Amino acid sequence: MEDLLTERLILHPFTGAEARQVADVVRDGQEHWAADYPQIGEQVGARMFAQACEAGLDPRPFGGYEIRLAETGQAVGGIGFHGGPDENGAVEIGYGLSPSARGKGYAAEAVRRMIELAREQGVKTFTGNADLDNPASHRVMAAAGMELVRQDEKLVYFELPLS
């Protein structure tokens, strides 16, 4: 699978081996990683993808991607689906950026590109959620065109109909 491009980013689809390196924070040979990458969220997402690959299930294009800066190739975060479309044609996104890359609009730019990919794949609804106390992530999803649909005592839920 080829890299997904935006104006400022490269969304590189993980291979199973690359995901395992992120999950286990194996820095050997990873000079392109930002000093504060990966964060725990990227490790968890990469671990889920690596385990699927190790079980013989390659979920691409609904897998994990490394967020790299187009200008330098430096990895600064991760983004990915929590699996393929469900029985209603919905997918859920997760993402995270290293602290050094936050506040520059990269997350919203990456989410918008993943929305395009989901639309290309025939997905009907694009969803995401964030902790109630994470307004930065709420702003990312809103900036990507997603709408707040509900919240509970822990999470805020966003979605975007694609069909």
Side-chain angles (χ1 to χ4, degrees):
M1 191 174 161
E2 294 182 19
D3 291 343
L4 304 176
L5 306 176
T6 72
E7 182 179 333
R8 302 178 299 159
L9 303 173
I10 299 166
L11 306 182
H12 174 72
F14 277 130
T15 64
E18 290 167 336
R20 179 52 63 195
Q21 286 184 302
V22 171
D24 297 341
V25 193
V26 178
R27 289 194 172 276
D28 185 39
Q30 300 305 317
E31 293 81 16
H32 73 280
W33 285 4
D36 54 354
Y37 174 80
Q39 297 287 299
I40 191 71
E42 287 79 52
Q43 292 173 311
V44 170
R47 184 170 292 109
M48 290 173 21
F49 180 79
Q51 289 171 340
C53 290
E54 290 160 1
L57 306 169
D58 186 344
R60 289 181 284 182
F62 298 105
Y65 296 76
E66 190 170 65
I67 300 172
R68 298 177 180 172
L69 302 179
E71 187 175 320
T72 64
Q74 185 178 58
V76 295
I79 192 164
F81 298 98
H82 293 186
D86 66 15
E87 64 278 355
N88 298 314
V91 293
E92 183 178 352
I93 194 78
Y95 54 86
L97 286 176
S98 299
S100 63
R102 294 178 187 160
K104 298 176 173 112
Y106 296 144
E109 187 172 329
V111 170
R112 283 191 295 272
R113 181 59 182 99
M114 297 305 272
I115 289 169
E116 288 176 32
L117 174 62
R119 187 174 279 123
E120 292 164 4
Q121 297 298 316
V123 169
K124 293 182 180 3
T125 308
F126 191 88
T127 69
N129 63 65
D131 290 337
L132 196 60
D133 64 351
N134 187 353
S137 192
H138 307 169
R139 288 189 299 275
V140 164
M141 287 186 274
M146 300 172 72
E147 293 187 20
L148 174 68
V149 292
R150 66 184 164 82
Q151 71 181 50
D152 58 29
E153 63 280 348
K154 294 181 182 179
L155 297 173
V156 178
Y157 300 86
F158 287 79
E159 71 179 44
L160 178 66
L162 299 181
S163 57

